[in-house]
Amino acid sequence: METAQFSAVVVLGLLVFFYGGTFLLSTRIGKKTENADGYMTAGNNIGFGISAASMTATWIWASSMYASATSGYTYGISGPIHYGLWGALMILFIYPFGKRIRSVAPKAHTLAEVMYARHGRSSQLMLAGSNIVGSLISLMSNFIAGGVLISLLSPFNFTQGVFAVAAGVLLYTLWSGFRASVLTDFVQVVAMLGAVAVIVPFIFVAADFPAAFETGADNLTPQQGDFFSSEAFMEQGAPYIAAVLAYAIGNQTIAQRLFAVKQSLIKPTFVTATIGYGAMVIGVGMLGVLALYLGFEPSGGDLNNLIPEMAATYLPPALLAVFFIMIIGALSSTADSDLSALSSIMMADVYGQNVTGKEKANPRTMLLIGRLTMVLATAAAVAFASLQLSILDLLVFVGALWGALVFPVLASFYWEKVTSRAFTLSVLSALAVFLPVRFSWISVDGFFGLVVDVLSIIGVGVVLGLMVFGFLGAKPARIVGALAVVLTAPFAIGSLHEYATLSGSLVAYSVSTVVCWAMSVGNNERFDFAVIAERTGDFDDGSAAATALSEDAAPAAAGAGTPRRRSGDAEDPDGDPQPTGSK
């Protein structure tokens, strides 16, 4: 079938409609005298509707849609399930940890800022630096998605498309920062969900579903046709389970929303975002499965072209315009979050903590730094987008990279014994092992392969243990982690190192955990968590946006120090932490 294509005038009209309307919406919340704290976290008091929509829109980005479809096209029907289901569950796993983080630091702006209060400069700069890299990669991948879309559906080329998307996002985000991001997210996610509900079924019908699944079965390999494909799990599912847990804990775009939402609304916000994300991403990913059955070949073999070309082939012009707006909205909702995250890091962590110190920071200077950061980050992401790297590979790589930070960060919020030295050396050690394993810089045959397998098995226990820890506490987490190691070992020894993506991510978890625990368990000093609330907070005391916390957040903030001890909460003799309120 011939693909449809818009004229230059139509595409410009759609872009002006979307970005112009979004800009006008953002001007409604603009302030003549902007506030630094409002620019970063909107006063820590956002309500349920906007916060849930913003979390959903931030997690659903064009890269999520493209990567889910790529997974379906590569691994068959289980691919989108592995991508969307695990990604959705990771949103759910955020909230128990998020409640603890907010109780310790009720008015912080970034996780790195909290690490500065907890450990000092080295851990702060590590977390901030990883987020700068991660957000730039995220920004770049969204610009790539926009450039591909515009180049396929219009006379404009890829570079022109990238510039159009970058300019549009910067236009409405620059002035009001995070507040503009969350407000526009609400409108964007409603539009995206509505568009997916119409577009995906229409493409299936237009492609002669379900007959296409019968006639095209010969296009699949045995692994692609198997819903319980081991290849799909080892190459996509398992690495993504590890990667998105790291995203959940290390990503500033998520942390920013955690610090912005009313403290009492953390749970419903993330539960709602879990459902919204899973439904939308799995639905779009099924287009990749459909393309596989149809024998559809994306132009140039570039899987980033798969979704736009499927839409252009099977949608009439009116619905193709809706699809165009849907993808532009998805990538913009995450790109503006990345810009807001980068600006808050430079404002709070670089300038506010390391250049001047919190007490001497000038809010007006902070705003200038935040806006300049957005401009420079946009320029850098546009330049990197010209590389047109694989979006799916980028997502998994960044998630694995953040895996080195997960245990040290979480332990720092629960365990009084963790030291700055333990944090720093555990992260550096994990990265030193992760990089050669992930990129096969060293041969993993023989003894080194066995070492990688052992570390990866420990990593399996760490990942599953951390998931259980958030909800049930340390003792169930230790049991689950130990069982995971015992049950995985017979199958993994001798073979797990063959999966570089998965083993690289798992060794990052295991090495950081082992080193951090070993260096902290013998520490006799106890950190007073109440210090964190004293060292973090508003930079602009005159903030109109610095509203009071919700009713149940105020007592939590007042008791943000060391959790009250009960028989079920007491620290174990070996120094392992228990989550506040666990039983």
Side-chain angles (χ1 to χ4, degrees):
M1 300 176 64
E2 291 185 2
T3 59
Q5 190 177 62
F6 295 128
S7 68
V9 173
V10 171
V11 169
L12 286 175
L14 290 173
L15 290 173
V16 169
F17 168 76
F18 178 81
Y19 286 119
T22 308
F23 173 72
L24 291 176
L25 182 63
S26 67
T27 59
R28 300 291 300 273
I29 61 169
K31 295 184 177 182
K32 185 175 181 180
T33 303
E34 187 57 83
N35 171 270
D37 298 299
Y39 196 85
M40 290 187 281
T41 54
N44 312 101
N45 205 31
I46 296 179
F48 169 70
I50 291 179
S51 60
S54 182
M55 185 63 246
T56 305
T58 298
W59 204 252
I60 297 174
W61 40 333
S63 299
S64 297
M65 298 182 186
Y66 284 31
S68 182
T70 296
S71 185
Y73 189 81
T74 305
Y75 302 111
I77 194 168
S78 64
I81 305 297
H82 282 305
Y83 189 96
L85 178 62
W86 304 127
L89 290 179
M90 287 311 118
I91 303 176
L92 186 66
F93 284 126
I94 298 171
Y95 94 77
F97 296 119
K99 292 173 69 175
R100 169 63 178 171
I101 292 169
R102 277 295 296 275
S103 70
V104 170
K107 304 199 76 175
H109 307 88
T110 71
L111 274 178
E113 179 187 4
V114 182
M115 288 299 101
Y116 180 84
R118 176 69 172 88
H119 293 303
R121 184 163 297 153
S122 62
S123 58
Q124 179 200 29
L125 293 180
M126 280 187 172
L127 196 54
S130 69
N131 268 286
I132 290 172
V133 173
S135 287
L136 282 174
I137 290 177
S138 172
L139 199 59
M140 175 186 66
S141 66
N142 278 289
F143 290 168
I144 289 173
V148 168
L149 179 69
I150 292 174
S151 66
L152 288 175
L153 299 183
S154 76
F156 298 111
N157 60 35
F158 172 80
T159 302
Q160 291 168 330
V162 168
F163 271 98
V165 171
V169 173
L170 187 63
L171 173 70
Y172 72 84
T173 311
L174 184 63
W175 188 253
S176 296
F178 180 74
R179 292 188 298 110
S181 175
V182 293
L183 180 62
T184 54
D185 281 348
F186 181 83
V187 178
Q188 290 164 353
V189 78
V190 171
M192 283 190 292
L193 291 171
V196 167
V198 174
I199 288 171
V200 173
F202 188 96
I203 292 178
F204 267 78
V205 172
D208 197 22
F209 173 84
F213 276 55
E214 298 174 1
T215 59
D218 292 339
N219 293 325
L220 278 67
T221 66
Q223 283 288 324
Q224 290 173 330
D226 183 5
F227 183 79
F228 299 101
S229 166
S230 59
E231 180 181 326
F233 179 76
M234 296 301 290
E235 296 284 356
Q236 172 66 59
Y240 202 59
I241 293 173
V244 293
L245 177 60
Y247 263 97
I249 302 303
N251 194 331
Q252 171 58 20
T253 62
I254 297 172
Q256 203 164 12
R257 280 149 183 80
L258 172 64
F259 289 125
V261 65
K262 287 182 180 179
Q263 202 162 343
S264 60
L265 298 176
I266 291 175
K267 179 177 179 179
T269 292
F270 286 97
V271 170
T272 302
T274 298
I275 298 171
Y277 173 89
M280 185 169 179
V281 171
I282 292 175
V284 173
M286 287 301 170
L287 295 180
V289 178
L290 178 61
L292 178 63
Y293 275 88
L294 292 171
F296 192 95
E297 293 286 343
S299 62
D302 187 352
L303 294 179
N304 290 340
N305 298 335
L306 184 62
I307 286 293
E309 289 185 339
M310 282 286 289
T313 301
Y314 292 104
L315 292 178
L319 284 182
L320 189 60
V322 174
F323 168 83
F324 182 88
I325 294 296
M326 177 188 78
I327 298 296
I328 293 296
L331 66 89
S332 298
S333 66
T334 305
D336 62 37
S337 300
D338 288 318
L339 289 178
S340 297
L342 287 166
S343 65
S344 66
I345 289 171
M346 297 303 294
M347 291 167 71
D349 295 313
V350 176
Y351 173 78
Q353 295 282 11
N354 286 285
V355 176
T356 63
K358 184 176 181 300
E359 300 302 325
K360 297 181 180 180
N362 186 326
R364 296 183 66 181
T365 303
M366 292 181 74
L367 284 169
L368 177 61
I369 291 173
R371 288 170 178 147
L372 287 175
T373 298
M374 288 192 179
V375 174
L376 294 175
T378 301
V382 167
F384 292 141
S386 63
L387 301 174
Q388 290 187 259
L389 301 174
S390 168
I391 291 174
L392 184 58
D393 289 344
L394 288 174
L395 294 179
V396 176
F397 170 72
V398 174
L401 189 64
W402 274 331
L405 287 157
V406 174
F407 183 85
V409 168
L410 289 178
S412 297
F413 282 100
Y414 290 96
W415 196 13
E416 299 94 332
K417 290 186 174 185
V418 179
T419 64
S420 174
R421 185 179 179 84
F423 186 105
T424 302
L425 291 181
S426 64
V427 173
L428 292 177
S429 300
L431 291 178
V433 178
F434 161 73
L435 291 173
V437 171
R438 174 63 181 84
F439 296 105
S440 303
W441 292 347
I442 301 175
S443 174
V444 292
D445 295 330
F447 177 75
F448 188 69
L450 180 63
V451 172
V452 171
D453 287 342
V454 171
L455 290 175
S456 298
I457 292 168
I458 296 173
V460 173
V462 171
V463 171
L464 296 180
L466 287 174
M467 293 177 180
V468 174
F469 173 73
F471 289 96
L472 302 177
K475 290 182 179 179
R478 284 198 295 268
I479 293 173
V480 170
L483 285 175
V485 170
V486 171
L487 295 176
T488 304
F491 305 98
I493 292 292
S495 62
L496 195 53
H497 63 268
E498 297 174 2
Y499 301 92
T501 301
L502 175 58
S503 56
S505 179
L506 292 175
V507 298
Y509 277 95
S510 62
V511 171
S512 63
T513 300
V514 170
V515 174
C516 185
W517 178 85
M519 294 186 65
S520 301
V521 69
N523 181 26
N524 294 320
E525 296 182 4
R526 296 292 189 273
F527 179 79
D528 182 4
F529 286 106
V531 172
I532 294 179
E534 298 171 1
R535 293 176 179 174
T536 59
D538 291 337
F539 286 91
D540 192 334
D541 294 333
S543 170
T547 53
L549 295 173
S550 55
E551 291 181 2
D552 62 339
T562 304
R564 287 174 289 180
R565 302 290 186 188
R566 299 180 300 177
S567 58
D569 294 337
E571 184 180 64
D572 292 340
D574 59 0
D576 289 332
Q578 290 274 33
T580 304
S582 64
K583 295 183 180 179

